[in-house]
Amino acid sequence: MPIHLTGMTWSHSRGYPPMVAVSQRYEELHPEIRITWEKRSLANFESQSIEELAQRYDMLVLDHPWTGRAVASQILIPLNELIPADFLEDQKRNSIGPSYRSYTMGGQQIALPIDGAAPVAVYRQDLLEKVETRLPETWEDVLSLARGRGVIFAGGPVYTILDFFSLCATIAGGEEALYGEEELVPYAVGAEALERQRELAALCVPVLFEMNPIQVYEELSREDTPYLYSPFLFGYANYFRLGYGERVLKAANVVSYHGTMLKTTLGGTGLAVSANAKSRKEIADFCQYVASEKIQRTLFFDAGGQPGYKTAWEDRWVNERSNGFFKDTADTLEHCSIRPRYNGYMDLQNQGGFIVQEYMKTGTDVKGALEKLNALYLKSRRGT
């Protein structure tokens, strides 16, 4: 009788097809295994509680901010108990940027980093050349380009709070100086970050406050788009492949701010295992298959995936087929920051962006905005 495994991923060409494709090949190699994947929207991926999902599925594709919740609830199996130590050590050495350690907490490894992402610079090379404009290198360059209304970015609430974290980490010299027991960020750091967000938004179209990264990509890849450039947009390698959009996009590392590359906020996904899963030996083997170097830079990428394994980012064939996306943005991934992961953090992420948005739109009462953010932060940390 076949062994049936189930998984939940997210509904995008980068999230669902690669898991189905890799599972199909795994089934062919293991005829006794059947794997079924279901998908949820990007919005649900970012906010839906993992407890309910772990009750229904053997495997979950999730984002690293859920790590603290997973450790506290014990709803996921620590992979240290499931997967050989030498495989985990290889993953630790070879994941892109801080992807692997973003799923590590309290000595537990909650997920394998199968997808690597962070906000990167995205542009239309043909349009920049048409107007004889060079690619921005500094924050001031971005503002200069934005004055001509050629800049767009994802300004939806979730993304404004993540951009706030990015700027704070850059200004403070790393996330180690942020997210304390009693303070989200130092006042001067937060005030500067909010003002930088406001000054950029003031030069861009208001509709961006309703946009997520996918919507921005769809706009940038349109034949007749008026936009040339996005300074920080979560990487979606699909849009850099021929045939995916009307026009193929080009990517670059993010600009510098006062001489330091922006420390954008890590995204990507990890593959985790429910504590309710029964066929653990088979699941462990499949997880290693998905996350292995060979599959990451071949089947996983071929099916639209965005690998988390570093050698895939360096692979010549992978880069030839993605307009150089991976090699052109790898430095950004290596220097990005990790957002908070404590149990309760998701309340801050889900609500904090509205406070940041308000300041970006009005530019008034920076002290009040930071007080609101800090109150929300403390409430989320204490669960009250």
Side-chain angles (χ1 to χ4, degrees):
M1 180 177 294
I3 297 172
H4 290 271
L5 308 179
T6 60
M8 171 58 77
T9 184
W10 57 299
S11 181
H12 188 265
S13 300
R14 175 181 139 202
Y16 181 69
M19 298 309 295
V20 173
V22 172
S23 297
Q24 173 64 35
R25 180 56 183 151
Y26 188 83
E27 289 179 354
E28 292 168 357
L29 296 172
H30 302 82
E32 75 283 7
I33 303 293
R34 296 291 182 271
I35 306 174
T36 301
W37 285 95
E38 295 184 17
K39 54 189 177 180
R40 63 198 191 278
S41 69
L42 176 61
N44 284 340
F45 171 75
E46 293 167 339
S47 62
Q48 186 177 9
S49 174
I50 59 173
E51 280 89 349
E52 177 188 350
L53 297 174
Q55 293 290 337
R56 298 171 55 195
Y57 302 95
D58 297 312
M59 297 173 286
L60 303 180
V61 175
L62 45 74
D63 198 2
H64 72 266
W66 286 108
T67 300
R69 181 64 181 167
V71 171
S73 66
Q74 299 182 330
I75 198 66
L76 301 177
I77 301 175
L79 298 184
N80 321 60
E81 303 174 5
L82 197 65
I83 291 176
D86 58 346
F87 186 88
L88 293 179
E89 182 60 32
D90 179 78
Q91 291 282 302
K92 182 178 180 179
R93 289 196 310 269
N94 292 293
S95 69
I96 186 71
S99 297
Y100 182 88
R101 66 181 175 88
S102 73
Y103 298 101
T104 307
M105 182 174 285
Q108 298 181 22
Q109 190 63 32
I110 296 301
L112 295 176
I114 59 171
D115 176 296
V120 300
V122 178
Y123 63 103
R124 280 285 294 273
Q125 187 169 15
D126 59 324
L127 297 182
L128 282 177
E129 292 173 353
K130 184 177 180 179
V131 298
E132 299 182 345
T133 299
R134 66 181 177 87
L135 188 65
E137 298 179 359
T138 66
W139 183 262
E140 291 71 24
D141 291 341
V142 173
L143 296 180
S144 179
L145 186 59
R147 290 187 183 99
R149 296 291 184 176
V151 171
I152 191 171
F153 61 93
V158 170
Y159 307 101
T160 58
I161 189 70
L162 299 187
D163 292 342
F164 174 74
F165 293 155
S166 296
L167 281 161
C168 287
T170 305
I171 295 164
E175 69 266 28
E176 297 81 8
L178 313 176
Y179 320 134
E181 289 294 324
E182 296 296 331
E183 184 178 57
L184 175 61
V185 300
Y187 180 85
V189 171
E192 184 175 344
L194 285 175
E195 182 57 21
R196 296 292 78 78
Q197 290 182 271
R198 184 209 61 77
E199 70 178 352
L200 178 58
L203 299 171
C204 300
V205 292
V207 70
L208 64 82
F209 287 114
E210 303 171 9
M211 300 182 79
N212 64 34
I214 294 172
Q215 292 168 317
V216 176
Y217 274 109
E218 293 291 344
E219 176 60 43
L220 279 173
S221 60
R222 284 199 303 112
E223 182 72 38
D224 59 350
T225 184
Y227 303 107
L228 312 175
Y229 177 81
S230 184
F232 29 72
L233 191 62
F234 270 104
Y236 278 76
N238 316 79
Y239 292 91
F240 302 83
R241 301 178 68 159
L242 189 65
Y244 194 79
E246 290 183 17
R247 297 300 299 259
V248 177
L249 300 177
K250 188 67 175 169
N253 287 310
V254 290
V255 300
S256 64
Y257 180 80
H258 293 179
T260 301
M261 178 186 284
L262 287 174
K263 294 181 70 67
T264 60
T265 305
L266 181 69
T269 66
L271 180 58
V273 179
S274 168
N276 295 312
K278 304 301 182 187
S279 303
R280 297 188 177 187
K281 178 181 177 181
E282 292 78 10
I283 291 172
D285 189 70
F286 174 74
C287 288
Q288 291 173 78
Y289 183 76
V290 175
S292 67
E293 177 190 20
K294 180 180 179 180
I295 297 304
Q296 284 272 291
R297 63 182 175 83
T298 55
L299 294 182
F300 189 83
F301 171 75
D302 292 342
Q306 188 164 302
Y309 205 94
K310 188 181 299 184
T311 56
W313 286 65
E314 302 164 345
D315 188 89
R316 179 181 63 84
W317 179 235
V318 167
N319 277 286
E320 284 181 358
R321 296 169 63 196
S322 59
N323 203 20
F325 170 82
F326 296 94
K327 67 178 179 61
D328 289 341
T329 61
D331 284 349
T332 298
L333 269 290
E334 293 293 350
H335 291 90
C336 68
S337 59
I338 298 177
R339 69 197 109 147
R341 300 172 300 153
Y342 59 85
N343 182 21
Y345 160 74
M346 295 305 294
D347 289 337
L348 172 64
Q349 178 170 297
N350 291 337
Q351 301 174 47
F354 294 101
I355 300 171
V356 176
Q357 269 194 347
E358 181 182 4
Y359 184 81
M360 291 170 71
K361 292 175 180 179
T362 66
T364 59
D365 194 12
V366 66
K367 180 180 179 182
L370 289 171
E371 287 176 348
K372 290 177 184 177
L373 282 172
N374 205 55
L376 182 59
Y377 170 66
L378 295 178
K379 180 180 179 182
S380 68
R381 282 192 70 101
R382 295 165 181 163
T384 57

